[in-house]
Amino acid sequence: MATQSLRGTRLRGYARATALWSLVALAALAAPAGALARSSPSSYSPASRTLAPVRVHSTEGSVSSPQNVLSGAATRLSGTSALVVYDFGKEVGGLVTLRFSGASGAGQQLGLAFSESSLYIGRNSDQSSGGGSPDGALYATVSGAGTYTMPADKLRGGFRYLTLFLTTSGWVDLTGISLNFTPAPGKANPQDYANYFASNDPLLDKLWYAGAYTVQMNTIGSNQGRVWGPPSSGWQNNATVGVGATVLVDGAKRDRTVWAGDLGIALPAQYVSTNDTLSTRNAIAMLFQAQRPSGELQWGGSPFNLWGSTTYNMWALIGTASYYTYSGDKAWVDSIWAKYKATMNFVLSQVGGNGLLSIPSAYSEDWARVKPVGENIAANAILYATLLGGAQLAEVENDAALASAWRARAATLKSAANARLWNPAVGLYRDNPTSTVYPQDGNSMAVWFKLTDSPQKDASIVRALTARWNHIGALTPEKNDGGKIGTFPGSMELQAHLIAGEDVNALILMRREWGHMLSSPIGTASTFWEGMDYHGSLDPAYNGSFVSAAHGWAAGPTLALTFHVLGLMPLGPDGRYQFIPHRGDLTHVEGTLTLPQGLVSGSWDYSGAAGTFTARLTSPAGSSGTIGIPTYGASNVSVTVNGAAAWTGGAFRSVPGIGGGSSDGRYIYLTGVAPGTYTVVGSGVVAPVPFTVSVLPNQLPPGYTLCAAEGETCTPSGTQVMAYGAGTYAYRLASGPTPCTTASFGGKDPAYNLLKSCYLAPAGGPVGFTACAEEEGTCTFSGMRQVAYGRNGAFRFQVANGSVACTNEAFGTDPLPNAPKGCYVAPANAPPPGSWSRCAIEDNSCTVPNGQPLAFGANGSFWGGVSTGTTVCNSGSFGVDPLFGTAKACYYPAGAPAGFGTLCAAEKGTCAFSGQKTVAYGANGAFVYKTFTGGTPCTSAAFGGADPLYNVAKSCYVP
């Protein structure tokens, strides 16, 4: 069997929201009067089943008036070198019909070839059959006026470019090209979506619709799958791949077969856009239909009939639970419940005595990652979601004992995974207990599915994932061939950022990675790809032209924008839902969600000037909701519902239609929302500006200067970033006299029980960086470098290759609104800014005292870590490759900690001062902090017995 037919083995993710296995349905908007005005859709779907090319791409040889055929006039191809390429302007699929008005004589032969990407335009088509070589062409015999229609079994599932070429020496006159569009069968108007999404960012709207269209292209007639094995020549798409009339498969061009993992992202994306739950059910039913007595399901369905993937078996179970949430179809769940339990038992038979799933090599097939043999974090995160989803289904099936048993196993698994797989020194989960790979998929799913056991772990994971981004997107270190951007685990990462509260970074990643796929000249301008390489080309690991440019596992933005950014999400088939927006840097979002009970429509608007967040909601009979209003940590937010006070002074007040209220510091939640129409207004909502101050954690960036002690007032020059803390810091923008207090920083104390200070960022760029462009210009440099965009301490950072536009769009957001900005490039082959010395080049050992901070990277892109005594200087030790493809090194710090520049005593001396001060005690970047009055001995005993760097001479410093 050809390797490419299996796509190098692969898995595809599953979308989840607050209720692990719940994903959302969006439906057509029924706008409440005066509340929602539905925006015009940005759909890529055609409004008609009959399509035509939109432009001429190129010609060769003798082709007269190639554009004529687009308007029904004659285009003549003459001689064996005549070739013309027509562009449909987007991904399409189906059967082409050609119309001719004449030919030079009988037996003229015209070839038809197809390509998704402009890279593979030619006479041989791109690859789809799995035979290991280009698919070749179809040939029409033209003897005069007439038509040619492709045979039904030669349906082309996904293409953008149609190449027509003459193989005989005469001529033909072509007067018509039409396509019978076959994806999403059963809909007369494929553009007739049940649901929609719109915002104040046109690019995000396009990404939502591109993901929806990608999944539509993957929805096919159940008798239109790819035949396996490959035909001896050409391609054949008439295999039965599902039950019923329509089925959700993997890939438009190929593989056109049900792959259970792909459903993880494609299934919820289909639900939030077209609400086509029938195609979902037909896909899962096909897998259960072929179940083995052991309970095992195929990981690649008929006609591939592939076995041997524990992870894909779990994705099928998750898909089953999701389908029930979306549809409420208990009769179908009843019909497959025995099979469902058998598959769960098959999976649980691989769980060891410590409660962790340990995958045998015989069941380790997966997506194109390193095989998840043993106690793998990705597999265990999937099992955690599977068990919780299964427990809810068990309750539906009136088996309370089984539900309780599965929940207990999930709790045991969670404890074991956090004990066995979490590496606190790196802040990520290992791929398995002995691995030095810290995977994108497993860490993303740990946050997404709530396998993590603290918000601090969520924050640590998403920060580390962000450190892997380059100018194209998020790297996937677990991918077999390395240096690739996996759009399947990338779809998972989007969910993780939003669940962890990193809303702005989620939107930046969408705009960067998925925006690239949509705008790249080698793409379809309408659908998302199977994968990319580091520089943004189609992933060569999928054998060149065999790569799929319309792959449902890449549709992550569609579900993320509905579930989290809009914030509408179902919590069960009984009408429970939530409306909890994640604003990011947006000011307006609207859309809809379909419950089994009917349509929920919602919108929200944010006004920074007024400090208001206004949400509007209409919900159907039989529903019960929760509305969340973001507070950004402010304690003085008040909320009204339809004009009546519902939350004031930190407490809920009874209002019609609302059952109760609570707050967790991030949101005010209104619960038990009865069916009806509501306008909910939060006042005092002030969102922080989304800037970044440093690429290394918990360190005051170099160049910051002391401006006030705690309780005093700090006055910036213009608008600057102000830091507040002692050893650990909080940051904000300040434009006038600002009290140096915890209240000024949103009520969050960054260094509890310590006397803190305030510091101002240096003017211009980060210390050590060089100005390279003003806003709207272009920053140009050599090689891969870290570039900062902003000014006066407020930046967005990006790794770029050779150049980058100095714009909000290029960096994903505006770090300094209403002020001029610039770009600053990091130096090449230099340590991090500040007092750092190199201790090893990449892949060599760095020997420094245990516990001493280290930095790993190059060219301004660094990741912080802590020495274990002797540390191998590579990404395996640090969990992150901050600059893929570039030689890096490790560095250690020396001297005073940032913000504490005055040496007051050597170790065992006395640090004397008047009044109250916070003192830093330590050396080489490792410090502890304590507040004293009138001075202190510079000893470990004075600092509570803490020795920040054992067997190293230390000192004491004050601000």
Side-chain angles (χ1 to χ4, degrees), residues 767-770 784-786 824-833 858-862:
V767 169
F769 284 53
T770 302
M784 299 289 291
R785 304 276 192 94
Q786 184 84 287
Y824 305 85
V825 63
N829 305 315
N859 299 356
S861 185
F862 293 94

Side-chain angles (χ1 to χ4, degrees), residues 130 156 169 287:
R156 197 70 185 182
S169 59
L287 297 173

Side-chain angles (χ1 to χ4, degrees), residues 468-472 475 534-535 781-787 798-803 825-829 858-861 882-888:
R468 293 173 173 159
W469 296 358
N470 71 354
H471 58 299
I472 299 297
L475 288 183
Y534 187 75
H535 299 294
F781 44 88
S782 61
M784 299 289 291
R785 304 276 192 94
Q786 184 84 287
V787 181
Q798 181 179 156
V799 172
N801 186 18
S803 68
V825 63
N829 305 315
N859 299 356
S861 185
L883 202 64
F884 184 84
T886 300
K888 292 167 283 289

Side-chain angles (χ1 to χ4, degrees), residues 15 68 93 126 206 494 649 669:
N68 277 8
D126 52 16
K206 290 179 180 178
L494 291 179
Y669 301 101

